[in-house]
Amino acid sequence: MAEAEDKAVASQRVADDLRARIESGEFKVGDALPTRRDLAAEYGVAPNTATVAVRLLQDVGLVTIRRNAKARVRDRSADIDSSALLRATGEEVSALKVELAQAAERLAEVEKTLAELARRTTP
């Protein structure tokens, strides 16, 4: 079990370093990552560990992997920033609640005025 944990830690370490290299611009959009054998040699891990590391990057959308091809850095410029979208949507909902409460108050005032006018005009 400890060996499996060590491999998980090693693959995460490799993935974290590759992520940093991508984010620093060392690997640009469209660039191929080194082969799994080259990564294994560079990081001193087994080729399967390197493969898992690259798959971790794929899971978070940093690279694309095609069968029988090198993993390539993915263009994320069109990705939605879900946390920013969630925050903006929450702010919009809050603003709408305030507007709705104000409209409800205005409606109550208009209904009160109508009721008063109806009372005055009814014999």
Side-chain angles (χ1 to χ4, degrees):
M1 191 69 165
E3 185 177 326
E5 288 177 30
D6 290 345
K7 286 182 182 179
V9 169
S11 60
Q12 188 63 58
R13 177 179 53 82
V14 173
D16 290 345
D17 189 66
L18 287 170
R19 174 194 294 259
R21 293 169 70 183
I22 290 168
E23 290 174 352
S24 75
E26 181 179 340
F27 295 114
K28 295 176 181 25
V29 171
D31 285 353
L33 295 184
T35 66
R36 73 184 195 129
R37 287 189 188 352
D38 289 343
L39 289 172
E42 181 178 345
Y43 289 98
V45 296
N48 286 342
T49 302
T51 299
V52 171
V54 174
R55 285 191 184 139
L56 290 170
L57 295 177
Q58 179 186 33
D59 291 346
V60 296
L62 289 173
V63 300
T64 56
I65 302 174
R66 286 197 170 145
R67 192 173 190 83
N68 299 321
K70 292 181 180 180
R72 296 199 173 271
V73 177
R74 188 175 157 274
D75 182 3
R76 297 173 289 145
S77 62
D79 288 356
I80 295 174
D81 182 352
S82 57
S83 61
L85 182 59
L86 181 61
R87 193 171 33 259
T89 303
E91 290 170 0
E92 186 174 0
V93 167
S94 294
L96 287 171
K97 285 180 178 180
V98 168
E99 288 179 35
L100 187 57
Q102 291 170 343
E105 288 176 14
R106 180 74 180 121
L107 179 60
E109 290 172 10
V110 169
E111 288 175 336
K112 184 178 176 183
T113 301
L114 281 173
E116 181 62 30
L117 288 172
R119 187 181 60 75
R120 288 184 191 172
T121 58
T122 318

